[in-house]
Amino acid sequence: MSYAQKQQNVLPHPAALRTADDTLFNPAKPAFYRLKPGEEAALNEHPGQLYKVSEGCIAIYELLADGRRQITDILGPGDSFGCQALVCGTTRAKSLTFTTIEAYPVAAVPALAAEAMMAAVQRLRRHATMLGRMTAPEKIASALLDLSRQFARKTPHSPDTGKSFTLYLTRADLADWLGLTLETVSRTLNQFKREGLIEFTHPEIITIRQKARLKALAFAETQEIRAQ
Amino acid sequence: MSYAQKQQNVLPHPAALRTADDTLFNPAKPAFYRLKPGEEAALNEHPGQLYKVSEGCIAIYELLADGRRQITDILGPGDSFGCQALVCGTTRAKSLTFTTIEAYPVAAVPALAAEAMMAAVQRLRRHATMLGRMTAPEKIASALLDLSRQFARKTPHSPDTGKSFTLYLTRADLADWLGLTLETVSRTLNQFKREGLIEFTHPEIITIRQKARLKALAFAETQEIRAQ
DNA sequence: CGTGCCGTTGAGCGCTCTCAACGCACGTGG
DNA sequence: CCACGTGCGTTGAGAGCGCTCAACGGCACG
């Protein structure tokens, strides 16, 4: 059974939210609700809603007719999406782990909605620059630094705070996010590992060993406009 | 003298708007103003402004520290940008031809600003899909169809209406928009020409000869979500 | 103990990039 | 008038990065 088919079986699209259990999302009264790994959110059903991730990880993505996929955004705790503009048309969203989401009517939180759109535009522009103009190692280094910021394990008694994070994305997800193949992702990650830049024993728990060198690799940072 | 240096001399960035002639943009009283080919708009100067292109062509782009460039959006008549969120941080905008722009305070046109952001997000998502998951011929075909829609020569007495358009982008601009090199752009355009898909005698006037075949090439259209 | 997903690794190919040369249009100055 | 410089576009030759195809192992699950 293909991956896509399994998704269909887990939760028939696009009525995902309606077929879920008692954590069903009700557009009439904003509430928390929960998504399982791989579960799709049927966002086109409730265009007036703004969703805020309170826990977990959401991937925003598009599908091409022949099955090619492009993940356009990865959202973590605190990030917002939905809101008619952010997810519409061919855009879909799926949870990459156990995820909790808060839903608000856009009309109730216009400032939050505007801020979410601004953030989305900025992230999308930055992401486009990466997709169009960076090499595979640059993309991977860039992604690791981004994800370590967003999903750092905040254990107060751990000396590794900010260096270790849970990689909710599979190698295939990373590939579809960065515009690579999963083989290239795997090879580059293991090359980084061999070079001592990162460390992982489980494929989904990454520890950054040499942040400076990783930053140097991703360094093709967007050039700041110096005022005057 | 390099291209970048020439830009600097034409109009020192980022005070572009202040050094222009009597068509100077004054943030206090919204107005039309004009940009010459290659001229940069210093958008970070007036964050509260929304700009609407009434004539011409604007490229939104980002620069990397080593000079690599990624054009993230091409705007034609009717498209809006600016508005703090759309252009901020490392993002720049430059005119690709003689361009006329209307400026509004965002506060005065909140609906237009929201609509512009929604449109920007949609375009950016679609563009990301192209950058990450399409081949060079697919990108070029897709771009030609997009541009022909946006910049079609509307001559009522011409039988070619909708087939012929002015390509305001140079080969280098196209490359930086599509995540290719200018050589690949040139080769692909001339291959399309040899195959009879398009026609051009001047490099900047493109005529689409076989729209159907061009669409088939770009066909990896984003898959529609079929309701229920 | 099979089955399916995920990750890893290898071999080889090919699409796109890199480097290079050239033509053309245009403007400038001798 | 022509020589010269510059920007833009085209074309060729060769190299390399990332993709394609393939095999294999670990692990969860029934």
Side-chain angles (χ1 to χ4, degrees):
Chain A
M1 186 193 289
S2 77
Y3 188 58
Q5 282 172 331
K6 191 200 169 195
Q7 282 193 342
Q8 290 295 328
N9 290 343
V10 165
L11 209 49
H13 182 82
L17 299 180
R18 287 211 291 261
T19 61
D21 56 17
D22 60 344
T23 63
L24 243 181
F25 172 66
N26 178 352
K29 51 164 185 160
F32 285 78
Y33 71 103
R34 297 174 208 294
L35 293 173
K36 288 170 246 172
E39 192 170 338
E40 277 209 29
L43 300 152
N44 297 280
E45 302 265 302
H46 318 296
Q49 293 294 319
L50 182 74
Y51 304 96
K52 184 171 182 177
V53 179
S54 54
E55 200 186 335
C57 183
I58 294 283
I60 310 291
Y61 68 100
E62 316 244 341
L63 285 183
L64 296 183
D66 57 7
R68 282 179 286 185
R69 185 177 66 145
Q70 178 66 50
I71 293 178
T72 56
D73 215 349
I74 297 292
L75 303 176
D79 294 324
S80 298
F81 66 107
C83 184
Q84 202 165 25
L86 299 190
V87 176
C88 58
T90 61
T91 305
R92 304 187 186 193
K94 97 169 178 181
S95 171
L96 299 184
T97 181
F98 294 97
T99 302
T100 307
I101 291 176
E102 307 166 35
Y104 305 93
V106 169
V109 287
L112 185 59
E115 196 184 336
M117 285 215 276
M118 281 167 36
V121 169
Q122 275 188 273
R123 279 195 306 263
L124 283 168
R125 286 205 203 288
R126 185 184 175 77
H127 192 230
T129 307
M130 203 191 58
L131 286 173
R133 285 293 177 239
M134 286 192 182
T135 65
E138 286 173 341
K139 288 177 178 178
I140 299 286
S142 209
L144 289 174
L145 291 170
D146 269 7
L147 293 172
S148 75
R149 250 180 270 135
Q150 219 167 357
F151 299 105
R153 310 190 126 194
K154 294 190 175 60
T155 50
H157 42 276
S158 162
D160 277 343
T161 299
K163 306 269 188 176
S164 193
F165 65 97
T166 302
L167 186 61
Y168 294 117
L169 295 80
T170 66
R171 303 302 190 249
D173 290 333
L174 276 171
D176 286 339
W177 188 34
L178 303 177
L180 300 168
T181 58
L182 66 88
E183 293 94 332
T184 299
V185 170
S186 179
R187 271 186 259 268
T188 307
L189 281 175
N190 282 284
Q191 186 186 338
F192 282 4
K193 185 181 179 181
R194 280 191 297 274
E195 293 172 354
L197 296 177
I198 61 174
E199 185 51 52
F200 58 92
T201 47
H202 303 283
E204 75 278 11
I205 310 279
I206 308 285
T207 302
I208 293 179
R209 286 276 176 235
Q210 301 190 42
K211 198 164 193 171
R213 282 180 60 198
L214 216 51
K215 274 185 179 168
L217 267 177
F219 171 56
E221 286 293 328
T222 51
Q223 193 177 32
E224 293 295 335
I225 297 178
R226 53 198 79 257
Q228 301 299 358
Chain B
M1 185 192 287
S2 79
Y3 188 59
Q5 283 173 330
K6 192 198 169 197
Q7 282 193 341
Q8 290 296 326
N9 290 344
V10 165
L11 210 48
H13 183 79
L17 299 181
R18 287 212 291 261
T19 61
D21 55 16
D22 59 344
T23 62
L24 243 181
F25 171 67
N26 178 353
K29 51 163 184 159
F32 285 79
Y33 70 102
R34 300 175 206 293
L35 294 171
K36 288 170 247 172
E39 192 170 339
E40 278 210 29
L43 299 152
N44 297 279
E45 303 264 301
H46 318 295
Q49 293 294 319
L50 181 75
Y51 305 96
K52 183 171 181 176
V53 178
S54 54
E55 199 185 335
C57 183
I58 294 283
I60 310 291
Y61 68 100
E62 315 244 341
L63 284 182
L64 296 182
D66 56 8
R68 282 179 286 185
R69 184 177 67 145
Q70 178 66 49
I71 294 178
T72 56
D73 215 348
I74 297 291
L75 303 176
D79 294 324
S80 298
F81 65 108
C83 184
Q84 201 163 25
L86 298 191
V87 175
C88 59
T90 62
T91 305
R92 304 186 187 193
K94 95 168 177 180
S95 172
L96 299 184
T97 181
F98 294 96
T99 302
T100 307
I101 291 175
E102 307 166 37
Y104 305 93
V106 170
V109 288
L112 185 59
E115 195 185 336
M117 284 215 276
M118 282 167 37
V121 169
Q122 276 189 271
R123 278 197 306 263
L124 284 167
R125 287 204 203 288
R126 184 184 174 78
H127 192 230
T129 307
M130 204 191 58
L131 286 173
R133 285 292 176 240
M134 286 194 182
T135 64
E138 286 172 340
K139 287 176 178 179
I140 299 286
S142 209
L144 288 175
L145 291 170
D146 269 7
L147 293 173
S148 75
R149 248 180 272 135
Q150 219 167 358
F151 299 105
R153 309 191 129 192
K154 294 189 173 61
T155 50
H157 42 276
S158 163
D160 276 341
T161 299
K163 306 269 187 177
S164 192
F165 65 97
T166 303
L167 186 62
Y168 294 118
L169 294 81
T170 66
R171 304 303 191 247
D173 290 334
L174 276 171
D176 286 340
W177 188 34
L178 304 177
L180 300 168
T181 58
L182 67 89
E183 292 94 333
T184 298
V185 170
S186 179
R187 272 187 260 267
T188 307
L189 281 175
N190 281 284
Q191 187 185 336
F192 283 3
K193 184 181 178 181
R194 281 191 298 274
E195 292 172 356
L197 296 178
I198 60 174
E199 184 51 53
F200 57 92
T201 47
H202 302 283
E204 74 277 11
I205 310 279
I206 309 285
T207 301
I208 293 179
R209 286 275 177 237
Q210 302 190 42
K211 198 164 193 171
R213 283 180 59 197
L214 215 52
K215 274 185 179 168
L217 267 177
F219 171 57
E221 284 293 328
T222 52
Q223 193 177 30
E224 293 295 335
I225 297 177
R226 54 198 78 257
Q228 300 302 356

